[in-house]
Amino acid sequence: MNHVKKSSQDWEDELLEALTIMEQNLLLLRVGYDDEELRLRYFPRTSEIAFFVHPMLKGLYHFCERLDDEIASKLANQLFQSMGISSQQNQCMETVMLQLLCNKSIQLGSKQSGQECNLLLLNAACKAIEMYDESDFLKSIVSHFNRHIRKRDQEQSDASAKNIPNTGDVVSKHHPAGTVVTTVESNHSPLESYTFHPERAGIVLLINQFSFYRETNPELLELVPVRPLKDRKGTEVDKNALESLFNDFGYDLILEENITHHQILQAVQHAVQRIKPIHCSLIVCLLSHGQEGKVFGSNSIPVEVKAIQQLMANERLTGKPKLLIVQACQGADLQSAVPIPNLEHDGLDGGEKTASVFMDFLVAWSTVPGFASIRHIEKGSWFIQELCTKLRQLYGREHIMDILTAVINDVASKRGYGNECMVPVVQSTLSKKLYFHRRS
């Protein structure tokens, strides 16, 4: 009876996820679901991630959605020609995909049985009619699916060679409260994953700038922007989300609010000094106004982000991952000049570029250089909210770089009231995979 109930629930969840992927928002609203809540649960626009639907089916649906009628018709004809059967008129691409699945011309693969997916026929047809972007898309979803199969096969092979039980990170990911590090390290070479203990995760420095005043020191006046910096409404939501998230991951939190440019550097230096040999990592989160390569102190004086990185590149942290998360504008340009009701941006024009050049560093910027970073005055910033949501939902089976890829995907798909958009950017010199785990 329990098995029947579970299967029924899985079937319902799969249907619900499928409708969300197909963006059947009106239907979902009519039957009482919150489409925004479902979007945050299932990440419908992120092709590689699926919870109940087979991930390759989701990817193939997105593939079909990329094609207009003319291209879809050309691709269908090419596929039928490749299989040596006569083409059929007025078939939608989804129907063609079903035919390919039924005659096993394309294979979805199975993580349970260790079977890799195979889209060679479809990929070859795309190349034959010069659909190179679509071919690259297919390669990406195949690679993402198959690498998990190969990873498991390698772990089983390594465990067999060592004559030890295969108790690797698959177990630890489903049981994050257990003996996480022991199981991860037993099946990964030291070059694959950083050590992470929730009991000694490390330090998170959270610098939250809400209000600003204009510096009066004559020696610094030339650095003060022409226009006064506005209060950053909505940043409290981001602060609370980050506090809760990293507390669950076991970090010791240092919170600094409304501090000057000089105090920002002092706070980073203090956080670095608090790192002990047993700690696994250091994270610095900067929530402020900004311009290209810089963030502002509460006294409206900018600090170069590369100066913060230099402080973090301390021998105390050699070999440990150092994460710098920057929620601030990198310029003032928006996709549209239309005013944004309830939306603001964190920045000014100008500045100079900077980039991470240190080992074991990851710098995640809320937006690309030269552009504004959008923040909702009631719901928080697009970037920080997506980052926290995806870390909470994916930390158990994805490492930080894959999670950030999903964040970029979903943030880039958002639109403001005037069709404004933004794209986060990630710079990384991480030499291993970083997995987070919750404290027990």
Side-chain angles (χ1 to χ4, degrees), residues 130-153:
E130 299 182 347
M131 293 171 53
Y132 299 117
D133 288 344
E134 285 71 20
S135 174
D136 288 341
F137 174 80
L138 291 173
K139 287 180 182 177
S140 72
I141 61 174
V142 168
S143 175
H144 191 274
F145 183 86
N146 285 347
R147 74 179 179 186
H148 291 286
I149 304 294
R150 293 165 186 161
K151 177 181 175 183
R152 190 182 70 170
D153 289 345

Side-chain angles (χ1 to χ4, degrees), residues 279-322:
H279 284 146
C280 299
S281 58
L282 170 67
I283 300 176
V284 176
C285 302
L286 303 173
L287 312 180
S288 187
H289 286 300
Q291 55 188 171
E292 202 162 325
K294 302 176 183 179
V295 294
F296 280 97
S298 61
N299 58 341
S300 301
I301 302 297
V303 177
E304 293 199 27
V305 173
K306 66 182 180 183
I308 294 172
Q309 290 177 254
Q310 288 168 353
L311 290 174
M312 295 172 67
N314 186 284
E315 62 182 12
R316 287 172 171 267
L317 287 143
T318 301
K320 302 178 189 289
K322 298 166 279 290

Side-chain angles (χ1 to χ4, degrees), residues 43 242 245-246 249 325 386-396 400 403 407 436:
F43 314 135
L242 289 167
L245 174 74
F246 289 118
F249 289 157
I325 298 168
E386 285 291 348
L387 176 66
C388 292
T389 296
K390 287 196 167 38
L391 273 169
R392 283 197 176 281
Q393 297 207 2
L394 301 178
Y395 76 92
I400 186 63
I403 293 173
V407 172
F436 291 104

Side-chain angles (χ1 to χ4, degrees), residues 29-147:
L29 287 170
R30 284 179 175 174
V31 295
Y33 287 100
D34 183 330
D35 59 335
E36 176 70 12
E37 180 182 338
L38 292 177
R39 188 187 70 79
L40 292 173
R41 184 190 306 175
Y42 294 124
F43 314 135
R45 301 186 185 98
T46 306
S47 300
E48 294 84 359
I49 297 173
F51 295 89
F52 298 96
V53 173
H54 193 294
M56 293 307 299
L57 284 176
K58 181 179 183 181
L60 289 173
Y61 174 77
H62 282 182
F63 171 80
C64 294
E65 288 292 290
R66 293 163 63 98
L67 310 179
D68 60 32
D69 291 342
E70 181 180 355
I71 293 295
S73 179
K74 287 178 63 177
L75 180 59
N77 290 335
Q78 180 64 37
L79 285 165
F80 288 132
Q81 181 181 338
S82 301
M83 293 184 291
I85 60 178
S86 58
S87 61
Q88 304 173 36
Q89 298 297 319
N90 301 322
Q91 275 198 313
C92 70
M93 201 63 220
E94 286 85 350
T95 305
V96 175
M97 290 295 169
L98 286 174
Q99 289 181 260
L100 295 174
L101 286 168
C102 290
N103 63 24
K104 297 185 178 180
S105 296
I106 61 176
Q107 299 174 4
L108 296 179
S110 169
K111 291 183 178 180
Q112 286 72 25
S113 63
Q115 179 187 2
E116 295 186 1
C117 65
N118 185 339
L119 303 183
L120 290 177
L121 178 68
L122 181 57
N123 206 351
C126 288
K127 290 181 177 178
I129 59 174
E130 299 182 347
M131 293 171 53
Y132 299 117
D133 288 344
E134 285 71 20
S135 174
D136 288 341
F137 174 80
L138 291 173
K139 287 180 182 177
S140 72
I141 61 174
V142 168
S143 175
H144 191 274
F145 183 86
N146 285 347
R147 74 179 179 186

